[in-house]
Every structure is written in C-alpha cells, then in structure tokens.
Amino acid sequence: MTFAAVVVRESEDGVRACVEEIEMEMLPDRDVTIRVLYSTLNYKDGMVMAGIGRIVRTYPHVPGVDLVGEVVESRSPLWSQGDKVIVTGFRMGEISFGGYAQYARVDASWIVPLPDRLSAFDAMALGTAGLTAMLGVMALEAHGLVPSDDATLVTGAAGGVGSVAVSLLSTLGYRVSASTGRTEEEPYLRLLGASEIVPRRELEEPSSRPLESERWNGAIDSVGGTTLARLLGQLASGSSVAAVGLAGGSSFQASVLPLLLRGVNILGIDSVMTPLELRRRAWERLALTMAPGRLADMTTTVELQSLPALGTEILKGRVRGRVVVRVSDEER
Ligand code: NDP
C-alpha cells in the first residue's frame, strides 16, 4: 500500500521537499499507527523543508511537527483503533517522520487525546503554535499575571504563535498590545482582539537606557534577539516575559538591571518536550477558551502539495496566522 507524503531528500544541490507516494514500510517502527487527518505549518517545518539548522540528521525525511488523526493500529494498551489523537513535538518531524503524510507511526507516550470540544481541524488551527501560546499564558499566570487595564505585549503578532497569543489573551480578558512589522495587518490583529498596534521597529532598536518606562504587565515574545532585550527594560516591576521564539535572532545582549531592580523574569517555553500532564491541561484549556469561530479568522487551509513553497514563505515572515494542512478526508 502506498500513500502521499512530503519527502525531504538531500542531494549535491542541497535539500529539497516534494510530494511523493511512499510505502508503509518506510515508516519508523513505533507503537501506534495513525491515519493523519490534518497537519499544520510551523516556522520549524519551514526550517526542516529548507534543510536549515541541522534539525534533520537522516534523509529521506518526512516533516511535520504536528498532526491530528485516528489510530488505525496500536501495540500499546494506552490507545485503541478509532481513538482521535493529537501529536505535537517530541521531535516528531525532526528526528522521526512527522505529520506531512497520510500515515504516521509514533510512540504511545507522545500522544494526547483530542479534547471532546475541539474538532480535528481546530486542533491543527492551533497546533504547536496554539500549545506554545497557551504554555506561555499559563507560565505568565503562574508568575502572577491577571487581566487588568495594563497592556500585555505580544511580539511577532501576525505570525502563528503571535496570532493565537493575541486571540487567547484577549479572550481571557487581557488588554493586548500587538507588535508587528506588518502594520497593514492592523485590521487583522484588531479582529483577533488587539487593543493597540506597536510597530516592530519600536522594539527592535537597542535602547541606551537599561530601564525604560514600565509599559507592559507581561509579554509573549516570538521574536527573541534585540526585541527580547529591549522589552525586558519596559516590563513592569515583578512581571515576566514568556520567551517563545527566535524569529528575529537567537542571541541577545541585555542588561541584568530589569531582573535585579524590577524583579522581572524571563520564562523559557519549550513546547517540544512538555510533559504529558501539562500538555493535556494546556489542550483542555485551549479547547475551552478558543471557541469555534475565533480560529477561523486566523486560519488558511492548504493541501500537501502547497507545503514546499509555503515553507519558504514562513521563513521570510510572509505567512499570516495559522496554516492547516488537509492530509486525508475526515470520512472514509
Ligand atoms: P511565524 O513565522 O508564523 O511567526 C513569526 C513572526 O515573527 C512573523 O510572522 C513576524 O511577525 C515576526 N518576525 C519574522 N521575522 C522577524 C524579524 N527578522 N524580526 C522581527 N520579527 C520577525 O512563526 P511561528 O509563529 O510558527 O513561530 C514563531 C517563533 O516561535 C519561531 O522562532 C519558532 O521557532 C518559535 N517557536 C517556538 C516554540 C517553542 O516551543 N519554544 C514552539 C513554536 C514556535 P510580524 O509580521 O507580526 O512582525
């Protein structure tokens, strides 16, 4: 039996992703076989399809760090045929084949159940981006963030993590300031719930002062680099930033003064290896908070064939919101 998959191959000319028909035997020997219904596009998938960052060590490779689907075969007592499940992270799509194929084989311990209130489509409209945004919100709340009239900052706001973070925070009653380099996306970001738009350039230049006026009661930062350094000096006393991404750079030079004189915290978020219990709680809360309809405004749907080109676009910061990949028909 053969089925469709995006396959990344390496040659003398570099790394290239194409849609191919592959055989079941190509899948890794893991406990649970899933018929994939939907996957998504994340920044990391763009990196994998372009062969950037030494994320993939062995080719040919099937990318896709997220999937939702139906169990068709299980050697684990934890999962049975017909279960609807979500898999994200655990280095699926990086060192193991991922969700850009009509079938996937994964470890039983990577799987969370699809929450009752969430459709398979909406689960991937959220995907790793949604999980990461929710982990960021939960980390900020655990460090004292509560809704108020003060502004909470989201950087890289028109991207995947940023879009879900804006929508999530505003649904939870926070006043959201959305920082973006695409100011033409202001109507989109306001639709998602942003109260204020902050042009990216306001944050990407380093400040000569380590402590600026206290502007944010918390932040979710997808950008990293100078932006992370700059916003640290603008955080209110005792508040925190959930450091999520590196779209603007992986290293940063910053003063420790905001940490020492204002008790500001940098909270690292790693969605890939998040333990199952926390993952389940985050997905249940996403299902409760992100009612159907809130995701429609930020979601585009594509087929597997569109992925290689879209991988290039996301690396250039040109993809808005979330991309859901339709992999197999929901009804057989
Ligand atoms: P997207 O490409 O969808 O979003 C990134 C956004 O960052 C862009 O839309 C753009 O927003 C902004 N941006 C892009 N380039 C630059 C730049 N040079 N300088 C400043 N801002 C820039 O990616 P995702 O939302 O999927 O991921 C965002 C980041 O989070 C990535 O770095 C990704 O690797 C990381 N990530 C981390 C996870 C974790 O577990 N820690 C999980 C998921 C993602 P705008 O146009 O609004 O300015």
Side-chain angles (χ1 to χ4, degrees):
M1 172 189 164
T2 66
F3 55 91
V6 173
V7 181
V8 185
R9 294 185 183 274
E10 191 181 34
S11 72
E12 285 167 3
D13 301 332
V15 163
R16 215 180 134 185
C18 285
V19 176
E20 297 181 13
E21 287 286 312
I22 66 169
E23 296 185 349
M24 225 42 170
E25 290 69 47
M26 266 183 84
L27 294 180
D29 180 23
R30 297 189 187 274
D31 280 345
V32 183
T33 308
I34 297 169
R35 192 170 80 91
V36 180
L37 299 175
Y38 300 98
S39 184
T40 70
L41 177 70
N42 295 284
Y43 193 85
K44 195 184 273 172
D45 299 313
M47 294 174 78
V48 166
M49 285 189 281
I52 295 172
R54 288 174 46 77
I55 297 172
V56 177
R57 300 295 163 94
T58 314
Y59 294 97
H61 175 72
V62 173
V65 303
D66 294 343
L67 66 82
V68 65
E70 194 178 69
V71 173
V72 289
E73 211 177 297
S74 173
R75 297 191 303 232
S76 159
L78 296 174
W79 303 103
S80 311
Q81 197 181 348
D83 289 346
K84 289 269 179 75
V85 294
I86 300 172
V87 188
T88 69
F90 289 115
R91 306 208 63 195
M92 182 184 76
E94 301 181 42
I95 54 174
S96 187
F97 281 14
Y100 290 177
Q102 289 175 317
Y103 289 87
R105 240 186 235 132
V106 302
D107 282 5
S109 61
W110 298 350
I111 298 173
V112 294
L114 176 68
D116 286 340
R117 300 168 63 116
L118 204 60
S119 70
F121 182 91
D122 281 352
M124 287 296 100
L126 291 162
T128 283
L131 176 65
T132 305
M134 180 51 96
L135 292 172
V137 170
M138 289 164 80
L140 291 174
E141 288 175 344
H143 284 77
L145 184 68
V146 287
S148 75
D149 289 340
D150 299 329
T152 308
L153 177 68
V154 174
T155 65
V161 177
S163 293
V164 186
V166 170
S167 182
L168 194 51
L169 285 166
S170 80
T171 307
L172 292 169
Y174 292 91
R175 204 185 123 218
V176 182
S177 293
S179 169
T180 181
R182 290 180 271 180
T183 41
E184 70 278 12
E185 296 296 357
E186 175 164 352
Y188 164 73
L189 290 166
R190 288 199 185 272
L191 189 68
L192 297 187
S195 304
E196 182 198 13
I197 306 300
V198 180
R200 181 195 291 176
R201 66 181 134 63
E202 276 189 25
L203 292 166
E204 69 186 357
E205 292 297 320
S207 168
S208 54
R209 290 180 296 135
L211 295 174
E212 300 184 67
S213 302
E214 297 187 18
R215 203 171 164 192
W216 321 114
N217 65 2
I220 296 187
D221 174 46
S222 307
V223 173
T226 320
T227 299
L228 176 56
R230 182 77 193 261
L231 74 84
L232 281 177
Q234 300 178 351
L235 282 170
S237 282
S239 68
S240 308
V241 51
V244 163
L246 44 67
S250 60
S251 58
F252 70 110
Q253 193 176 6
S255 166
V256 290
L257 289 183
L259 284 67
L260 309 186
L261 299 182
R262 287 187 181 159
V264 157
N265 306 296
I266 305 176
L267 312 174
I269 304 296
D270 169 25
S271 67
V272 176
M273 300 311 286
T274 299
L276 269 188
E277 189 39 43
L278 177 56
R279 224 172 248 266
R280 256 177 211 264
R281 273 196 285 126
W283 275 109
E284 287 294 341
R285 197 156 167 222
L286 281 168
L288 274 177
T289 317
M290 301 300 282
R294 290 208 73 89
L295 293 164
D297 295 330
M298 68 176 85
T299 307
T300 315
T301 310
V302 302
E303 312 291 327
L304 280 178
Q305 283 74 6
S306 309
L307 280 168
L310 279 171
T312 313
E313 290 296 293
I314 199 166
L315 293 177
K316 291 180 179 159
R318 288 203 205 129
V319 169
R320 185 179 92 173
R322 299 284 299 137
V323 175
V324 173
V325 186
R326 201 190 339 252
V327 181
S328 304
D329 290 335
E330 280 208 53
E331 301 301 329
R332 270 203 270 199

